[in-house]
């Protein structure tokens, strides 16, 4: 009987394997040797699809960007509602793949999905009447906030040992040991609080812009 054929090597298979490795062990774990072993191929065969390891990581980052829902910018919502929905979708995608955030933080470069994301935000803001310069700043501001929220957990940064925070040294951290077990609640609440504050501030600026008066 003929031996079963191995699945053909493809960009998608390489990106999927690299993404799984990044999720499990971080960026430093990715090497062409480990990827080749995981895919059951020789190392040099990867170079038929990607010239460098960095190119593979860029593709992994773009695959995560492609998961962000951009439909809120299709015209059915005002600029504030669109930013709100997009921000939540973006954070959800990053929360599933936090180890790739440092690559995404470099900017979209030439990554197609990343560029579509930036284009959607800028286009929606200028269509709503924001000046191009301010629309650019809004896109940057939102990206800083969303990426920053995905880098690490605030609540997860505290240990769950109530003896770790001596009130003589830290008089206001008497309940800090409870944060770790409420990580999701605290982190999601912090994101919602920050996002609302950002959008409230932008709304004030937008109203001033429409009224033709100096903004805050």
């Amino acid at each position: 009987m003929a031996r079963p054929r191995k699945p053909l090597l493809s960009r998608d298979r390489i990106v999927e394997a690299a993404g799984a490795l990044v999720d499990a062990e971080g960026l430093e774990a990715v090497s062409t040797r480990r990827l080749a072993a995981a895919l059951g191929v020789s190392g040099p065969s990867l170079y038929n699809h990607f010239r460098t390891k960095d190119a593979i990581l860029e593709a992994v980052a773009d695959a995560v960007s492609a998961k962000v829902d951009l439909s809120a910018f299709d015209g059915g919502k005002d600029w504030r509602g669109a930013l709100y929905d997009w921000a939540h979708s973006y954070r959800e995608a990053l929360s599933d793949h936090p180890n790739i955030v440092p690559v995404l933080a470099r900017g979209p470069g030439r990554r197609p999905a990343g560029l579509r994301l930036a284009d959607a935000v800028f286009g929606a803001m200028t269509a709503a009447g924001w000046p191009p310069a301010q629309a650019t700043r809004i896109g940057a501001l939102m990206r800083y906030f969303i990426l920053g929220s995905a880098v690490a957990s605030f609540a997860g940064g505290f240990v769950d040992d109530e003896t770790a925070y001596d009130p003589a040294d830290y008089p206001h951290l008497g309940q800090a040991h409870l944060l770790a077990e409420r990580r999701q609640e605290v982190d999601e609440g912090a994101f919602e609080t920050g996002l609302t504050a950002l959008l409230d501030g932008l709304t004030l600026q937008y109203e001033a812009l429409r009224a033709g008066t100096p903004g805050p």
Side-chain angles (χ1 to χ4, degrees):
M1 295 179 62
R3 293 181 179 179
R5 296 180 61 187
K6 292 182 180 179
L8 293 175
L9 189 62
S10 66
R11 288 179 63 91
D12 287 345
R13 284 192 67 213
I14 295 170
V15 170
E16 183 179 359
L21 193 55
V22 170
D23 287 345
E25 301 183 40
L27 295 172
E28 298 303 321
V30 178
S31 69
T32 53
R33 179 183 60 80
R34 290 196 65 180
L35 281 176
L39 292 164
V41 299
S42 63
S45 62
L46 299 178
Y47 295 112
N48 293 326
H49 301 275
F50 293 98
R51 295 179 61 184
T52 64
K53 184 186 81 170
D54 282 347
I56 295 174
L57 292 176
E58 289 283 319
V60 172
D62 210 39
V64 173
S65 293
K67 297 179 180 181
V68 181
D69 185 4
L70 300 178
S71 62
F73 297 117
D74 289 344
K77 295 192 174 185
D78 63 14
W79 67 268
R80 177 180 175 132
L83 282 181
Y84 180 89
D85 288 353
W86 165 72
H88 275 280
S89 177
Y90 200 173
R91 180 176 183 270
E92 183 178 352
L94 298 184
S95 295
D96 292 337
H97 309 282
N99 290 339
I100 200 64
V101 170
V103 179
L104 286 164
R106 301 172 190 165
R110 299 187 180 188
R111 298 193 299 266
L115 290 170
R116 282 193 293 271
L117 189 154
D119 182 74
V121 175
F122 182 81
M125 296 305 100
T126 53
W130 286 101
Q134 186 67 348
T136 299
R137 297 186 192 106
I138 290 171
L141 167 67
M142 297 299 294
R143 193 171 71 87
Y144 295 154
F145 174 67
I146 298 166
L147 290 175
S149 75
V151 169
S153 164
F154 173 81
F158 295 86
V159 299
D160 60 2
D161 179 2
E162 62 180 329
T163 68
Y165 308 109
D166 189 332
D169 296 322
Y170 315 107
H172 305 296
L173 296 182
Q175 302 296 307
H177 65 283
L178 301 176
L179 290 173
E181 67 182 40
R182 300 177 182 176
R183 174 174 176 165
Q184 183 174 355
E185 175 188 352
V186 173
D187 291 346
E188 290 183 355
F191 182 79
E192 186 68 24
T193 298
L195 179 59
T196 299
L198 283 176
L199 295 177
D200 284 348
L202 289 174
T203 298
L204 290 176
Q205 293 186 33
Y206 186 74
E207 291 172 351
L209 174 70
R210 303 296 284 182
T213 58

